[in-house]
């Protein structure tokens, strides 16, 4: 067994010239951060994690973690695969380490507040400590100010920060003020300040000379793990369990007075914890590393780098440039961004132009018709501004490419509508764009105009029937159709070639607020995929399919491919960026946000006052511009694309991965994009399911989606065939998901059905489930086991998309951890493993309307009326383990007369049992082997591979073990340590059906590792 | 323990409230005792509870050694509970607010025991966890080692030591080290401890340290220095940091404690079993909630002062 790749907690990170160095498990990763390329990963320790790094000016790296320490050359780290031969071990945990002033010695601070002074061969020269102190430290650093001035800064568990002089071994300060353990301490380079953070969620700034507390900074909402001074000691940056990175200004008002003031918040990692941070002062870029394995680069000059990120104008400011033209109470009522700048309209119909080049405002014209409820739109690429009012008037203005001169205007009135309350525009073809107008009168038609891009004349007019409760909110065109989003989560599709045709209506795509955007995503054959966002926070991907000519008259059909909900707030729109990442935007209370939904981090935010503002977001060449009105001022906020890559590593879940499932390759899978690896799912304690893809050869993982449907921590996820997946968790949540991998750009996954729950306020955990398909159909039997000892069997019918309960019962009162269906001969058995360590077998053959095909073992449907029957009494019960059985797997023999069952327990034991049907179909169950100390901690997963000849187990002691089975006996053949803590899940896939040795293993816990066997 | 708990799964929590225990962990000690009967020994005289706050194990010790004991001579029985945190009084228990690593604490306990050694030492202590598994497990092991230092100085030959452990990556190294001090080490998991948690307990039977080793508590010696000469496998403190080597590891025998009829801490119960029935009304907490270090931060959050404005 060999590890191929690993994603998991990155505990420390440092800039060094053009590199970012990160402690990544027992490895150090080196990236060229300008291009986001991983230059090398080099193993430094046998299995301890790298917790900290210190760099010398001569290119040496001092790395430490747990009791391990090493000194290596950067040159070697850039090239070599492993430098573990240099690993040294101390007797105590190393809390901090650094090079001496002349780089010829190293200082190691242990968790007992002692310092070892060593030479570069790790020979201990001196031991230094502060007498009479014996508190264990969670944190501590050594700050070297000069050859004779070295300060030790120790954060104790009792709220004190002890600062002592290394060489004289004398205490300088014991800074008291925090409550709880101190998690980090740092000193400013100028020697003026101490900054500390603790369990109390505050950051405290102290005067190093006097020991006086200068300021307390409150802002983080969970524990703070790391902080550092930067920008000539004028700022602090902190990272926390709350997954944010925060920047603080140190405001010095007068001598000996300094105040911490929060200046920026970056929501950049997944729950929970950011561990490491560093800043590159000359570029003002920060890098953070988190429990999610993500390495995130942050531009600290996001609002200052280009100089024009933030501008705002009051009407008075504009009047200073255009002359005193505004009346009292006049205000800006609409605006639109174009390549040259902004076109805006006031409440009195004054149309203004703002040049982004000259930064000057100019009055273009006044048209008083547009003083009542003006709506402003635009075709940005063609420099066409569109104004409408509530009286069916339209004003179109076309501007020249750069100089922004008016080259065409057109005004018309639409007689078909008595009043209008909404106007929308969209691009159509090379010669024209589309404009829709809607009347508040439900009996009046929905009008769509095709308008020439050249002369702004109406080329054609379409009057469509409006469905009930229709109120247009967004518009897009696709081929000869328009797709109109409406309130009440409705989508209406009109055919421009046939006005008389009834519209195609899709209702209730999400719970039910206004549809905020529709974007074409990709197409294949006769189908096209659209992304639809809704203000209620849901986004849905739908597939629209046009039937082929052979199938009869023209007809549209649709299918939901994907749906998900944003964490919180209002979702106003979404699009894919050039890297194929899904970017969403909207509002969270008073913030506007731009969010990378594919990888889950905030790109930018703006305190704009909230969604009820008049606002507009537009694309510009190198980013976006947000326009909004706040406190009567018109604001322009440019959100430029980051000057550095946003991430170096995207990471996985920030909490424990409870289950992993690899999608089996289907014979019908025609998509070449996913042929070098597999699509897989991870189910986590963080309540989300991630859908990703790994490359078989490199082990590289790409994440596509993070599903937030579950509200409690996941228990299980399992692909039941190549397109269906089931996930389960507490609150009786069990969802059937459908995967679609036929499109080229990415797979999609949506909920097909949820399992019925037993009460209105369910509190049971669905611990495990298993599925048995009914021969030649998409129907299956599902067995679910619960935390209250309940066992339920369900019949799922594909054409009705429905789960029917057909059997239920209870084992005892204890929790059930695992369940499997085993079909032997013509009998259908259910095997469960409760917390009492028994294997319990039920024979349900007589009680279900199915029989078992004796050859294939598949179920045959007898189409009998389903009735709900009671679970029969068990046919066999066998105590195998002393306490809970955590893993259960089986393999049936070739003739399907017996099965080998593998169990792994909380009692460190690994059991092999034989389940057999005798000639009279009587069940016998016997343990053939039991290894009591198969691991030094709970065995959390075990899988039988190669037809039951071999076994792989994972356990909480972080060891992966391979076993062989000969004549019903287990023997250990290989064991390897993993850096994945709380190791709890495993899935294995064969890359070659004929070769026993070519397998890929996915190991999950706090992190994800991919191994080859 | 607060007044309400939404988790119906936690029968032990209800039971603890009902029986007046300060924490559900009382049942863990009771179930360990059901298996090992260390508290039922009529000759048990002097016991020490380390890291005792809020005091549920001391309550169990008090009830077992005094209230429920059939023994007639209870006068010379002594229970001493030590913690850095203050603890509300418990009948028959002498509570010391003191540091278990300090020699003065040892002296105080020995004085209370009339310079006799203890028969039984236990510790249910656990540190605040950070989420860094290696660090959390290390700090827990250091806590055990600190308890073990005091234990080594105070426990009689043949005595018993019980402590909470996290069964993580290096637990087998701890088992191996304990093997040098005791005749038998068992890893015990009471049914009241959730199967989904890493928690378990080491039950160390028959204190029997190497004959040529004399433990001595000194505020300036580290744990490693203390056990120097005792753990044969441990690194020797030398002038050079040693190269990495695979350290000695042993897997202790596992034993599930509490009968299969006792409640399952992982299960959800609907109808409360008869022994806890009749307590459906909300019981007042036995111990008021402690003041967490982040109390001020919580208050600021509640009053909307931590909402994002930048």
């Amino acid at each position: 067994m060999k590890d191929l790749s690993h994603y998991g907690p990155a505990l420390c990170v440092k800039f060094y010239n053009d590199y970012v160095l990160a402690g990544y498990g027992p490895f150090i990763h080196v990236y060229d951060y300008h291009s986001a390329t991983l230059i090398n990963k080099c193993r430094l320790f046998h299995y301890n994690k790298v917790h900290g790094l210190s760099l010398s000016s001569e290119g040496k790296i001092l790395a430490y973690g747990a009791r391990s320490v090493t000194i290596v050359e950067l040159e070697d780290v850039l090239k070599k695969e492993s430098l573990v031969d240099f690993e040294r071990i101390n007797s105590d945990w190393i809390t901090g380490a650094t090079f001496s002033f002349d780089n010829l010695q190293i200082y190691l601070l242990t968790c007992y507040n002692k310092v070892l002074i060593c030479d570069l061969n790790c020979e201990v020269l001196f031991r230094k400590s502060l007498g009479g102190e014996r508190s264990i430290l969670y944190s501590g650093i050594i700050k070297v100010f000069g050859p004779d001035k070295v300060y030790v800064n120790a954060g104790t568990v009792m709220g004190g920060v002890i600062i002592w002089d290394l060489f004289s071994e004398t205490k300088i300060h014991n800074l008291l003020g925090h409550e709880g353990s101190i998690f980090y301490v740092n000193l400013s380079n100028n020697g003026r300040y101490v900054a500390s953070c603790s369990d109390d969620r505050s950051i405290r700034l102290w005067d190093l000379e006097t020991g006086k507390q200068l300021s307390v900074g409150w802002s983080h909402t969970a524990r703070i793990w790391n902080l550092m001074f930067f920008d000539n000691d004028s700022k602090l940056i902190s990272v926390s369990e709350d997954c944010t990175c925060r920047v603080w200004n140190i405001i010095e008002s007068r001598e000996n007075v300094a105040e911490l003031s929060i200046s920026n918040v970056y929501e950049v990692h997944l729950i929970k914890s950011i561990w490491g941070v560093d800043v590159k002062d000359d570029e003002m870029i920060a890098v953070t590393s988190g429990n999610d394995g993500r390495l995130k680069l942050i531009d600290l000059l996001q609002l200052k780098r280009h100089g024009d990120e933030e501008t705002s104008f009051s009407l008075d400011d504009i009047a200073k440039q255009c002359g005193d033209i505004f009346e009292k109470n006049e205000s800006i009522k609409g605006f639109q961004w174009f390549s040259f700048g902004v076109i805006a309209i006031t409440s009195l119909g004054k149309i203004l132009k703002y040049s982004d080049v000259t930064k000057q405002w100019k009055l273009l014209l006044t048209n008083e018709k547009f003083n009542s409820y003006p709506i402003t739109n635009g075709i940005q690429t063609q420099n066409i501004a569109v104004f409408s009012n509530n009286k069916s008037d339209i004003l179109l203005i076309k501007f020249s490419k750069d100089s922004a001169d008016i080259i065409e205007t057109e005004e018309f009135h639409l007689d078909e509508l008595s009043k209008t309350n909404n106007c929308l525009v969209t691009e159509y073809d090379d010669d024209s764009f589309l404009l829709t107008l809607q009347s508040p009168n439900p009996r009046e038609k929905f009008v769509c105009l095709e308008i020439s891009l050249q002369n702004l004349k109406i080329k054609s007019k379409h009057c469509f029937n409006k469905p009930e409760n229709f109120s247009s909110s967004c518009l897009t065109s696709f081929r000869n159709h328009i797709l109109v989003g409406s309130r009440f989560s409705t989508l209406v599709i009109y055919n421009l070639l046939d006005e008389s045709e009834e519209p195609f209506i899709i209702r209730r795509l999400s719970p039910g607020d206004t549809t905020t955007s529709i974007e074409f995503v990709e197409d294949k054959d006769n189908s096209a995929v659209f992304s639809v966002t809704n203000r209620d926070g849901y986004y849905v991907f739908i597939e629209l399919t046009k039937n082929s000519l052979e199938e009869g008259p023209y007809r549209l059909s649709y299918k939901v491919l994907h749906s998900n909900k944003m964490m919180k707030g209002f979702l106003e729109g979404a699009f894919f960026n050039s890297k194929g990442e899904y970017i969403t935007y909207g509002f969270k209370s008073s913030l506007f946000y731009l969010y990378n939904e594919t990888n889950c981090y905030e790109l930018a935010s703006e305190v704009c006052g909230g969604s009820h503002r008049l606002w507009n977001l537009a694309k510009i060449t190198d980013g976006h511009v947000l326009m909004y009105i706040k406190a009567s001022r018109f604001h322009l906020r440019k959100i430029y694309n980051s000057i550095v890559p946003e991430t170096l590593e995207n990471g996985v879940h920030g909490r424990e991965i409870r289950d992993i499932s690899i999608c089996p390759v289907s014979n019908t899978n025609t998509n070449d994009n996913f042929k070098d690896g597999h699509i897989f799912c991870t189910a986590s304690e963080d309540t989300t399911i991630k859908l990703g893809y790994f490359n078989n050869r490199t082990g590289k993982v790409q994440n596509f989606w993070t599903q937030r449907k579950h509200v409690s921590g996941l228990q299980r996820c399992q692909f039941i065939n190549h397109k269906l997946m089931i996930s389960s968790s507490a609150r009786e949540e069990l969802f059937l998901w459908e995967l679609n991998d036929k499109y080229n750009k990415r797979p999609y996954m949506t909920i097909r059905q949820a399992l019925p729950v037993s009460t209105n306020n369910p509190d049971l955990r669905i611990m495990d489930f298993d599925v048995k398909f009914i021969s030649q159909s998409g129907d299956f039997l599902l067995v679910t086991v619960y935390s209250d000892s309940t066992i339920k069997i369900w019949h799922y019918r594909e054409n009705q998309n429905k789960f029917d309960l057909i059997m239920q019962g209870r084992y005892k009162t204890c929790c059930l951890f695992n369940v499997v269906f085993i079909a032997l001969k013509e009998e259908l058995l259910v095997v469960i493993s409760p917390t009492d360590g028994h294997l319990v077998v039920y024979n349900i053959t007589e009680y279900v309307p199915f029989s078992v095909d004796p050859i294939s073992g598949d179920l045959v449907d007898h189409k009998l009326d389903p009735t709900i029957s009671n679970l029969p009494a068990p046919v066999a019960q066998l105590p195998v383990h002393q306490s809970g059985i955590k893993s259960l797997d089986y393999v049936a023999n070739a003739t399907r007369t017996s099965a080998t069952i593998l169990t792994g327990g909380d009692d460190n034991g690994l059991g092999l049992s034989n389940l057999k049907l005798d000639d009279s179909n009587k069940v016998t169950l016997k343990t053939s082997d039991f290894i009591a100390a198969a691991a030094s901690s709970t065995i959390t997963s075990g899988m039988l591979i190669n037809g039951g000849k071999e076994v792989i187990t994972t356990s909480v002691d972080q060891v992966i073990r391979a076993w062989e089975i000969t004549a019903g006996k287990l023997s250990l053949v290989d064991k390897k340590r993993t850096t994945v803590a709380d190791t709890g899940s495993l899935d294995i896939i064969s890359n070659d059906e004929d070769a026993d040795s070519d397998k890929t293993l996915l190991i999950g816990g706090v992190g994800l590792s991919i191994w080859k066997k | 323990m607060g007044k309400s708990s939404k988790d119906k799964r936690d029968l032990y929590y209800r039971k603890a409230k009902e029986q007046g225990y300060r924490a559900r962990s009382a049942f863990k000690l009771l179930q360990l005792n059901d298996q090992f009967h260390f508290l039922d020994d009529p000759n048990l005289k002097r016991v020490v509870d380390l890291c005792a706050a809020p005091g549920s194990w001391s309550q169990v010790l008090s009830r077992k050694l005094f209230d429920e004991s059939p023994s007639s001579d209870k006068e010379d029985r002594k229970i001493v509970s030590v913690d850095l945190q203050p603890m509300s009084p418990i009948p028959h228990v002498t509570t010391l607010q003191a540091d278990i690593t300090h020699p003065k604490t040892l002296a105080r306990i020995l004085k209370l025991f009339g310079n006799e050694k203890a028969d039984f030492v236990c510790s249910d202590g656990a540190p605040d966890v950070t989420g860094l598994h290696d660090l959390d497990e290390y700090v827990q092991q250091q806590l055990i080692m600190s308890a073990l230092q005091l234990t080594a100085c105070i426990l009689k030959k043949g005595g018993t030591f019980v402590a909470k452990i996290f069964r993580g990556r290096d637990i087998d190294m701890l088992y191996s080290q304990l093997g040098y001090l005791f005749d038998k080490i068992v890893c015990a998991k009471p049914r009241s401890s959730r199967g989904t948690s890493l928690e378990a307990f080491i039950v160390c039977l028959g204190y029997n340290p190497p004959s040529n080793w004399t433990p001595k508590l000194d505020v300036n010696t580290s744990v490693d220095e203390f056990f120097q000469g005792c753990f044969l496998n441990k690194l020797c403190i030398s002038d050079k940091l040693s190269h990495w080597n695979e350290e000695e590891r042993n897997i202790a025998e596992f034993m599930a404690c509490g009968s299969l009829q006792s409640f399952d801490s992982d299960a959800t119960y609907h109808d409360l079993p008869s022994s806890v029935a009749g307590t459906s009304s909300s019981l007042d907490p036995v111990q008021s909630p402690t003041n967490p270090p982040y109390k001020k931060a919580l208050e600021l959050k509640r009053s909307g002062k931590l909402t994002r404005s930048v």
Side-chain angles (χ1 to χ4, degrees), chain A residues 731-732 758-765 787-788 810 813, chain B residues 4-15 24 194 263-273 276 280:
Chain A
R731 297 187 57 79
E732 271 184 66
S758 59
T759 62
N760 290 334
N761 187 18
D763 64 348
L764 296 179
R765 283 164 291 147
S787 54
D788 68 344
R810 279 174 96 177
T813 56
Chain B
S4 66
S5 162
K6 281 183 207 150
D7 197 350
K8 270 203 211 165
R9 150 166 60 149
D10 218 332
L11 262 196
Y12 284 101
Y13 171 84
R14 293 197 66 90
K15 228 176 126 171
R24 63 197 291 286
R194 286 183 189 157
F263 304 128
D264 174 7
S265 48
D266 287 296
T268 313
Y269 289 89
H270 299 276
D271 311 313
L272 298 175
V276 285
S280 52

Side-chain angles (χ1 to χ4, degrees), chain A residues 219-221 230 236-240 242 244-248 262-267, chain B residues 306 308:
Chain A
S219 179
H220 279 291
T221 54
F230 70 104
L236 260 180
I237 189 164
S238 58
V239 293
S240 154
D242 68 13
T244 66
C245 169
R246 296 181 196 233
V247 173
W248 309 73
I262 183 84
S263 79
N264 236 323
V265 179
Y266 303 95
E267 289 190 13
Chain B
L306 294 186
R308 258 182 85 177

Side-chain angles (χ1 to χ4, degrees), chain A residues 711-727:
Chain A
V711 298
S712 58
L714 271 292
Q715 297 281 355
R716 289 276 187 262
C717 72
Q718 189 70 53
F719 275 101
I720 59 170
N721 64 18
H722 65 277
K723 64 168 189 177
L724 296 176
M725 192 272 286
I726 294 180
S727 60

Side-chain angles (χ1 to χ4, degrees), chain A residues 558-714:
Chain A
Y558 90 100
K559 200 177 163 187
V560 172
L561 292 186
H562 192 91
S563 68
N564 201 1
K565 191 186 188 307
M566 298 299 294
M567 228 94 78
K568 50 187 170 182
F570 299 110
L571 178 58
E572 297 291 346
F575 55 89
F576 282 94
N577 68 10
S578 57
K579 285 188 278 182
E581 296 161 331
Y582 196 50
I583 310 298
T584 58
Y585 56 90
F587 298 90
K588 275 188 284 189
S589 60
S590 64
L591 289 183
F592 172 85
Y593 69 85
L594 199 60
Y595 190 81
N596 184 320
E597 170 66 5
T598 301
N599 293 313
C600 306
Y601 54 82
E602 198 173 271
L603 290 163
S605 65
E606 174 80 359
V607 184
C608 69
S611 61
H612 56 285
R613 308 273 155 188
L614 196 55
W615 67 279
N616 198 339
L617 181 76
K619 265 183 199 157
I620 54 176
T621 7
D622 42 1
H624 288 85
V625 59
L626 173 72
M627 294 160 278
Y628 63 94
I629 306 276
K630 185 183 168 190
S632 303
R633 291 182 77 84
F634 172 68
H635 290 254
L636 270 176
R637 160 77 199 276
K638 286 194 183 164
I639 303 166
Y640 286 104
N641 296 335
S642 179
I643 56 147
V644 282
E646 281 153 10
T647 58
L648 300 175
E649 220 41 272
N650 280 314
V652 284
H653 294 276
R655 297 199 60 191
E656 297 82 352
I657 294 173
R658 293 295 183 209
D659 206 2
I660 296 179
S661 184
I662 303 169
C663 181
V665 182
S666 80
N667 303 326
T668 54
N669 188 345
T670 50
N671 197 334
D672 286 349
N673 288 348
F674 309 125
K675 71 178 186 333
D676 294 329
H678 298 275
I679 289 171
F680 73 108
C681 273
T682 46
S684 165
E685 188 65 28
D686 67 13
T687 78
T688 68
I689 299 170
K690 279 184 187 280
L691 182 71
Y693 169 79
F694 68 87
N695 180 301
N696 250 335
R697 194 174 43 78
T698 60
K700 197 171 163 53
V701 168
Q702 183 188 359
N703 183 51
F704 294 112
W705 300 110
T706 302
Q707 290 286 1
R708 304 188 182 92
K709 181 71 184 171
H710 284 271
V711 298
S712 58
L714 271 292

Side-chain angles (χ1 to χ4, degrees), chain A residues 58-222:
Chain A
E58 284 134 42
K60 280 191 168 49
I61 299 172
L62 166 62
Y64 58 95
R67 299 191 295 126
S68 296
V69 63
T70 191
I71 304 168
V72 289
E73 301 286 338
L74 175 65
E75 225 169 280
D76 292 332
V77 169
L78 284 170
K79 290 184 202 113
K80 298 201 169 146
E81 200 177 309
S82 171
L83 294 168
V84 290
D85 293 344
F86 296 95
E87 180 179 3
R88 302 296 182 116
I89 303 288
N90 184 39
S91 54
D92 291 324
W93 185 278
I94 298 164
T95 303
T98 192
F99 285 99
S100 66
F101 191 75
D102 59 11
N103 291 319
L104 296 175
Q105 293 175 351
I106 58 165
Y107 305 133
L108 305 178
L109 172 65
T110 75
C111 67
Y112 285 107
N113 205 2
K114 290 173 195 275
V115 175
L116 307 181
I117 303 178
C118 303
D119 65 14
L120 299 181
N121 295 314
C122 292
E123 191 99 32
V124 181
L125 306 172
F126 306 100
R127 288 167 196 278
K128 302 281 183 183
S129 62
L130 209 53
E133 292 284 348
R134 255 212 61 185
S135 169
I136 195 159
L137 312 178
Y138 271 119
S139 63
I141 66 145
I142 301 170
K143 185 81 181 177
V144 179
F145 287 110
D148 308 315
K149 192 180 173 190
V150 175
Y151 284 3
V152 183
N153 308 276
T156 71
V157 289
M158 298 301 290
V161 177
I162 299 169
I163 298 179
W164 54 283
D165 183 284
L166 179 67
F167 298 115
S168 67
E169 297 178 279
T170 50
K171 189 191 286 182
I172 298 164
H173 296 296
N174 184 8
L175 307 173
L176 298 173
H178 277 296
E179 293 194 51
S181 305
I182 306 295
F183 292 120
Y184 212 82
V185 193
N186 218 329
L187 296 186
S188 61
N189 287 322
N190 61 15
R192 260 209 76 185
Y193 301 121
V194 184
S196 58
C197 54
S198 94
D199 209 356
D200 66 11
R201 277 82 161 138
S202 72
I203 290 176
R204 282 165 210 253
L205 189 71
W206 317 76
D207 185 318
L208 178 57
E209 203 190 314
T210 63
K212 206 180 117 206
Q213 180 177 301
L214 299 171
S215 181
V216 187
W218 298 100
S219 179
H220 279 291
T221 54

